[in-house]
Amino acid sequence: MEIRTSRPEDVDQVEKLVVSRMDPSDGVDARLLMTDPDAGCDWVGVADDGGRIVSTTTLMDETMTLSGVGIPAGQIEQVATGTEYEGRGLVRRLMDWTNERSAERGHLVQFLMGIPYFYRQFGYTYSIPFKQTRKLVRRPEPVAGHTIRRATEADIPVLDRLQDDAQQGAGLRVAHTTPCWRWLINRTGSTTWIVERDGTPVATGRSTPEEEGDVVLGEIAGIDDDAVKALVALVNPAEVGERHPALEEHLAPRRADLDQYLVRIPSIPRLLEHLRPVFAQRLRGHDPDEVVLGFYRTHVRFRWDGEEIGPYEWGGTLLGPGAQGGAGIAPDLLAPLLFGPHGMDGLRRRFSDVYPGPKEDLMTRLFPRVTSDLLTFYLP
């Protein structure tokens, strides 16, 4: 069994395998990505059993933006294995392929949407909440003067602008790239909409196909409440991805369950070095101090002089960082600490091995609660 990067001659087999385990539209997606000059076969890993493709995964290039700082990221999608090849460790070997390619591309984090528990086996931690999809219990009244149509590639700058405006309030965000917009517009597994008012685009959203069951409308963005309500009224979905406050009165109550993106941090030192501007921004106004962050088997210390962060000094095991004025952070919980909605104050209430130590104000400044808005290839 050979684990390798896919080749152009593998497209038909990968498409067939993905369709066998998912939906026909997912096969369209596989072909779109593998034949696109901005992605291609380099994005897809396969398990090859004597010329037969029996397992596959896709690693997409993305950028996470945290407090204005872009973080190179990889998103894992389209993981599929033939039924007769399950249980042989092929996904684990393909995840190793993914990790190697991700490192080569300079990704500092990896994230995915996955079946419960499974990807925790490979170093991923539940970290960032999905936008919930909620039943539409009362359809907004149609707003006069609005029309709807499918988006085309010519609309990509407008789509970018509408989504960028919608994401401004989020501390952590992932936007669609221009190539991704092109794939979304041309795929069959969802429809990207444009709502116009007097010929001017004023709202957008993306819906699932009717043939897949109850239609879900997500990624809603609009210039005002009327534009957003017009979008929902014209698509008339069964469920709506929460995002816009104008729709709150039309949606069923939030559910108690929680769905989250899983995140993996391959190298804590590389990520923290990259996030130096974020930490400096958060510590503005705090008195000069020494910062110690203990990850139990490793630790780092640096000096905050009131304006800049000094060099990071990495060391080995530090089982009691609190005794040195530091915070204790279980390494597998760093992702939810950096990117999640709880921050230091929230996670300390949930896990005994995450705590601020004696410098509570310093650590809660360094690790605040983070709001998020992630646009991903597949709607959550």
Side-chain angles (χ1 to χ4, degrees):
M1 189 78 66
E2 180 185 9
I3 303 298
R4 60 171 174 81
T5 300
S6 71
R7 304 164 185 150
E9 59 267 27
D10 299 325
V11 172
D12 290 344
Q13 284 201 64
V14 170
E15 179 182 18
K16 183 179 179 180
L17 174 61
V18 168
V19 169
S20 73
R21 300 313 309 267
M22 301 179 192
D23 294 303
S25 63
D26 296 298
V28 174
D29 296 336
R31 182 171 290 275
L32 278 171
L33 267 65
M34 292 181 74
T35 59
D36 191 281
D38 290 307
C41 291
D42 286 347
W43 280 27
V44 177
V46 296
D48 181 343
D49 185 9
R52 181 185 177 190
I53 305 303
V54 298
S55 188
T56 185
T57 190
T58 296
L59 174 67
M60 305 176 73
D61 286 333
E62 301 283 4
T63 299
M64 275 188 177
T65 301
L66 178 66
S67 300
V69 174
I71 305 170
Q75 184 186 0
I76 289 83
E77 286 288 4
Q78 294 209 324
V79 181
T81 300
T83 53
E84 66 271 37
Y85 284 84
E86 291 181 329
R88 301 191 188 185
L90 294 180
V91 172
R92 182 176 294 278
R93 293 177 64 188
L94 280 169
M95 294 303 287
D96 290 341
W97 174 91
T98 297
N99 295 341
E100 293 172 6
R101 297 304 176 275
S102 192
E104 290 171 2
R105 295 189 206 168
H107 298 159
L108 299 180
V109 295
Q110 297 162 309
F111 69 103
L112 54 79
M113 297 182 283
I115 57 178
Y117 172 69
F118 185 73
Y119 292 95
R120 290 175 63 187
Q121 301 174 95
F122 311 125
Y124 285 80
T125 304
Y126 287 105
S127 303
I128 306 166
F130 289 176
K131 299 290 186 187
Q132 260 195 16
T133 58
R134 294 154 63 185
K135 293 287 186 183
L136 183 68
V137 295
R138 185 165 63 86
R139 181 188 179 199
E141 291 295 323
V143 183
H146 294 82
T147 57
I148 192 168
R149 61 174 174 82
R150 290 173 178 260
T152 68
E153 291 187 26
D155 295 310
I156 290 176
V158 172
L159 297 170
D160 255 341
R161 185 172 67 250
L162 288 168
Q163 293 294 352
D164 185 63
D165 289 345
Q167 290 190 315
Q168 285 304 306
L172 175 74
R173 57 192 181 120
V174 172
H176 290 317
T177 63
T178 296
C180 187
W181 277 124
R182 189 170 65 246
W183 307 325
L184 293 176
I185 288 167
N186 290 306
R187 71 186 296 256
T188 59
S190 63
T191 300
T192 302
W193 299 102
I194 288 281
V195 171
E196 293 182 330
R197 180 189 300 157
D198 299 325
T200 300
V202 294
T204 184
R206 189 153 64 102
S207 67
T208 57
E210 291 184 3
E211 56 267 24
E212 291 185 5
D214 289 343
V215 172
V216 177
L217 176 64
E219 298 186 0
I220 296 171
I223 66 170
D224 55 33
D225 291 356
D226 281 351
V228 167
K229 290 180 178 179
L231 170 67
V232 175
L234 291 166
V235 175
N236 194 25
E239 297 186 19
V240 173
E242 61 181 11
R243 197 187 198 193
H244 203 287
L247 298 175
E248 189 64 32
E249 62 180 309
H250 301 276
L251 304 181
R254 301 191 85 250
R255 302 183 304 279
D257 55 303
L258 176 65
D259 291 317
Q260 301 175 83
Y261 294 98
L262 292 122
V263 178
R264 176 178 178 269
I265 298 174
S267 168
I268 292 176
R270 289 181 61 211
L271 179 60
L272 293 195
E273 185 63 45
H274 190 80
L275 293 180
R276 181 186 291 269
V278 175
F279 294 150
Q281 174 188 331
R282 290 175 175 175
L283 291 176
R284 296 272 183 245
H286 193 280
D287 292 337
D289 209 340
E290 183 181 54
V291 179
V292 178
L293 305 177
F295 304 104
Y296 298 101
R297 291 185 178 177
T298 62
H299 72 279
V300 65
R301 64 180 71 231
F302 60 85
R303 181 73 185 172
W304 166 248
D305 67 7
E307 294 292 334
E308 295 181 353
I309 290 174
Y312 288 163
E313 299 175 7
W314 287 91
T317 300
L318 188 62
L319 296 180
Q324 297 192 29
I329 304 168
D332 60 323
L333 294 173
L334 180 60
L337 183 63
L338 285 170
F339 306 128
H342 305 296
M344 176 62 79
D345 189 55
L347 281 185
R348 69 184 294 195
R349 302 170 193 273
R350 292 165 171 80
F351 300 98
S352 299
D353 49 8
V354 175
Y355 58 86
K359 298 179 181 179
E360 188 169 332
D361 178 63
L362 175 71
M363 297 305 174
T364 52
R365 277 174 176 259
L366 203 57
F367 301 108
R369 302 172 189 270
V370 175
T371 58
S372 58
D373 193 321
L374 277 62
L375 301 183
T376 48
F377 188 84
Y378 292 104
L379 289 169

